[in-house]
């Protein structure tokens, strides 16, 4: 069995040198893997801002700093790309467009001073003041029903004479309209005369007989004449109960009438009613006694002053309006029933309201908004809640503060640009808040 060959002392230094070389190669390989061989790969990229600055930014500010431009076709804004190119529809070069990731539906719009001047942009301040509540509506003149008199006989009989021949004639209180022969009234006259004579033929007292004639509408002067002459009257007069205009005649000479027959109708036109319709949203401004003014086309230049008399209890289901009754004095009878009238009803002042010019308001049917002037060519649409609108001014219930400046000319173009930017945001990604949150999360190392 052969003995193993032992290394000599001269070979030990060579073995140590070999082991050291292997170790160095391993260390170099390890250093290459961790980045020593490529210092640029191992070094951290320089941050665009400090961590403290990044933490102080809001989500919107942070997203704005790291927003990328979009490229939009000027003729077809629905064509949006992330890199330059041409429009596939018209072939025009795409234009770089920076989108401002503002919160809400109405992003801010920035305009150069030359563009502002070209558009003729004008602004006005929102301020507090007084707005007068008044309603302008159309009315119709009609009779005052509290001043209408219907003339009926108190007993059946025949019209023996008719002093009034046509409707529309004016009459005075106590004026004779017709003469009536009624057997019941004649019998009451006989009883009255018998009560005055006394004796066995007396059936009722004189006072009761006199009162019966009065209940049958026999005038007092006729009763006095019967008592003085001692003779009954075959015909008794039918007289006008008040001053006015005869608006209806149903009696004719020789006609038989009963208690149900309306022989005449007399209207006092020294005061008239005017019926108007008021929209539902204006009802709260009305109350009995409120002042009103009226003009009629038939009397140009003249104005009548009246007041609200009554608010009817229900709305018209078809027109959604409330019928309101006004009263006006008509001493010279210039106002005729069924005339049309332009009416203004005053509901009194509403003080310390925030108001803006009416031309600044944008109404789309779905929202009401104004364009707020932020200064330095910056504008932003703001949704508002409006109240009453009068004399070229609109009440603002919410959405603005006193002193805010709103655009009164050119606001529709600015609002359209803002809506276009909002459309870009909806087409290119999530809502601004989500974009800001994503941006903040993606750049948390900053």
């Amino acid at each position: 069995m052969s003995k193993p060959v032992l290394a000599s002392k001269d070979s030990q230094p060579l073995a140590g040198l070999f082991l050291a070389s292997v170790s160095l190669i391993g260390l170099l390989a390890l250093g290459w893997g961790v980045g020593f061989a490529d210092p640029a790969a191992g070094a951290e990229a320089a941050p665009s801002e400090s961590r403290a600055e990044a933490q102080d930014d809001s989500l919107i500010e942070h997203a704005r700093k790291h927003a990328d431009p979009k490229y939009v076709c000027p003729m077809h804004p629905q064509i949006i790309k992330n890199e330059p190119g041409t429009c596939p529809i018209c072939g025009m070069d795409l234009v770089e467009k920076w989108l401002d990731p503002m919160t809400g539906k109405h992003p801010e719009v920035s305009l150069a001073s030359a563009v502002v001047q070209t558009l003729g942009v004008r602004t006005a301040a929102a301020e507090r003041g007084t707005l007068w509540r008044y309603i302008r509506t159309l009315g119709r003149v009609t009779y005052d029903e509290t001043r209408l008199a219907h003339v009926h006989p108190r007993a059946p009989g025949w019209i023996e004479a008719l002093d009034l021949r046509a409707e529309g004639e004016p009459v005075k209180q106590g004026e004779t309209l017709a003469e009536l022969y009624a057997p019941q009234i004649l019998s009451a006259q006989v009883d009255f005369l018998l009560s005055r004579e006394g004796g066995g033929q007396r059936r009722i007292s004189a006072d009761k007989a006199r009162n019966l004639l009065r209940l049958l509408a026999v005038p007092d002067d006729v009763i006095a004449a019967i008592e003085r002459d001692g003779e009954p009257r075959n015909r008794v007069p039918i007289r006008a109960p008040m001053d006015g205009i005869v608006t209806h005649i149903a009696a004719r000479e020789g006609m038989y009438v009963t208690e149900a027959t309306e022989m005449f109708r007399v209207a006092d036109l020294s005061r008239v009613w005017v019926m108007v319709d008021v929209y539902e949203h204006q009802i709260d401004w009305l109350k009995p006694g409120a002042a009103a003014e009226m003009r009629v086309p038939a009397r140009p230049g003249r104005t009548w002053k009246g007041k609200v008399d009554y608010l009817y209890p229900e709305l018209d289901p078809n027109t959604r309006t409330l019928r309101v009754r006004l009263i006006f004095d008509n001493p010279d009878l210039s106002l005729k029933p069924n005339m049309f009238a332009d009416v203004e009803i005053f509901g009194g002042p509403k003080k310390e309201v925030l108001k803006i010019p009416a031309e600044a308001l944008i109404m789309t049917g779905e929202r009401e908004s104004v364009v707020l002037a932020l200064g330095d060519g910056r504008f932003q649409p703001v949704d508002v809640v409006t109240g009453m609108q009068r004399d070229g001014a609109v009440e603002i219930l919410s959405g603005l503060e006193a002193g805010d400046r709103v655009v009164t000319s050119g606001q529709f173009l600015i609002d359209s640009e803002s809506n276009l930017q909002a459309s870009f945001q909806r087409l290119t990604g999530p809502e601004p808040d989500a974009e800001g949150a994503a941006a903040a999360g993606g750049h948390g190392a900053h």
Side-chain angles (χ1 to χ4, degrees):
M1 185 173 186
S2 62
K3 296 180 181 179
V5 179
L6 298 176
S8 66
K9 293 181 179 181
D10 296 336
S11 63
Q12 289 181 357
L14 294 174
L17 181 61
F18 175 75
L19 293 174
S21 299
V22 172
S23 299
L24 180 60
I25 293 172
L27 290 174
L28 289 173
L30 180 61
W32 186 275
V34 298
F36 292 147
D38 188 2
E44 289 187 1
S48 60
E49 58 183 343
S50 66
R51 184 182 296 274
E53 291 175 347
Q55 290 177 349
D56 291 339
D57 290 344
S58 66
L59 295 178
I60 299 303
E61 293 172 344
H62 191 78
R64 184 183 290 111
K65 289 179 180 179
H66 302 282
D68 295 327
K70 301 295 181 183
Y71 297 87
V72 184
C73 175
M75 296 297 295
H76 303 90
Q78 72 272 21
I79 303 300
I80 304 173
K81 293 186 177 182
N82 296 324
E83 57 187 14
T86 59
C87 175
I89 299 177
C90 63
M92 293 183 65
D93 291 336
L94 300 183
V95 178
E96 184 177 343
K97 181 78 174 180
W98 288 87
L99 302 182
D100 190 8
M102 293 293 294
T103 56
K105 298 180 180 179
H106 315 302
E108 181 181 307
V109 175
S110 296
L111 300 177
S113 58
V115 177
V116 172
Q117 185 175 3
T118 302
L119 293 177
V121 175
R122 293 184 289 107
T123 63
E127 57 184 5
R128 295 197 175 274
T130 301
L131 286 180
W132 282 86
R133 293 175 290 191
Y134 71 90
I135 301 167
R136 184 173 295 164
T137 184
L138 184 67
R140 183 175 59 86
V141 180
T142 186
Y143 297 104
D144 182 346
E145 294 183 5
T146 64
R147 299 191 173 206
L148 286 178
H150 302 267
V151 181
H152 294 254
R154 297 294 178 88
W158 289 263
I159 302 294
E160 294 288 339
L162 187 64
D163 297 338
L164 197 66
R165 297 294 179 177
E167 295 179 358
E169 293 186 13
V171 295
K172 296 292 185 181
Q173 184 176 6
E175 181 179 338
T176 300
L177 304 177
E179 291 185 352
L180 175 70
Y181 165 68
Q184 184 177 347
I185 297 177
L186 182 59
S187 176
Q189 295 180 58
V190 173
D191 289 340
F192 173 67
L193 293 174
L194 292 176
S195 66
R196 298 291 297 170
E197 293 176 359
Q201 295 181 345
R202 177 178 176 180
R203 294 186 295 180
I204 56 175
S205 65
D207 291 339
K208 288 184 178 181
R210 186 190 303 274
N211 188 53
L212 179 59
L213 289 176
R214 288 173 176 168
L215 292 176
L216 292 173
V218 178
D220 286 341
D221 61 321
V222 175
I223 296 175
I226 294 172
E227 183 177 9
R228 183 185 64 250
D229 298 339
E231 294 290 337
R233 301 291 178 88
N234 291 334
R235 298 185 298 184
V236 294
I238 304 295
R239 294 178 176 173
M242 63 179 186
D243 295 349
I245 304 295
V246 177
T247 62
H248 175 71
I249 298 177
R252 292 293 182 265
E253 192 169 342
M255 181 178 177
Y256 178 76
V257 294
T258 66
E259 296 91 338
T261 304
E262 183 186 20
M263 297 185 296
F264 307 97
R265 187 186 307 152
V266 181
D268 180 5
L269 293 179
S270 62
R271 190 177 73 181
V272 295
W273 285 355
V274 177
M275 310 301 294
V276 300
D277 293 322
V278 175
Y279 287 112
E280 189 172 359
H281 69 275
Q282 298 173 325
I283 295 175
D284 190 46
W285 304 353
L286 295 173
K287 61 180 180 179
E293 287 187 357
M294 178 179 64
R295 298 174 180 83
V296 295
R299 303 283 188 265
R302 291 192 60 181
T303 301
W304 285 262
K305 297 184 181 296
K307 63 180 180 179
V308 175
D309 184 48
Y310 183 67
L311 278 65
Y312 284 82
E314 64 178 357
L315 270 69
D316 187 314
N318 296 320
T319 62
R320 305 304 305 166
T321 56
L322 179 71
R323 190 165 55 147
V324 179
R325 187 173 73 215
L326 314 177
I327 54 175
F328 289 87
D329 290 331
N330 185 32
D332 59 353
L333 307 184
S334 296
L335 298 174
K336 310 296 183 182
N338 297 316
M339 275 185 173
F340 284 114
D342 296 316
V343 179
E344 292 182 358
I345 305 173
F346 301 96
K350 190 174 183 180
K351 300 179 179 180
E352 289 300 313
V353 299
L354 184 64
K355 59 180 182 178
I356 62 171
E359 60 265 26
L361 184 64
I362 301 173
M363 295 184 291
T364 66
E366 296 180 355
R367 66 183 180 97
E368 294 178 329
S369 64
V370 298
V371 175
L372 191 62
L374 304 176
D376 298 327
R378 296 180 299 114
F379 304 91
Q380 184 177 13
V382 176
D383 288 342
V384 295
V385 178
T386 61
M388 61 181 294
Q389 181 172 347
R390 284 292 174 267
D391 295 330
V394 179
E395 178 187 10
I396 301 297
L397 300 179
S398 66
L400 291 177
E401 298 291 339
D404 290 344
R405 297 199 69 83
V406 296
V407 178
T408 59
S409 177
Q411 69 271 29
F412 293 99
L413 294 175
I414 299 174
D415 184 63
S416 299
E417 172 66 15
S418 177
N419 291 335
L420 184 60
Q421 290 193 14
S423 300
F424 289 155
Q425 294 177 12
R426 288 192 292 269
L427 288 171
T428 57
E431 291 293 327
D433 287 345
E435 291 181 0
H443 298 275
H446 301 315

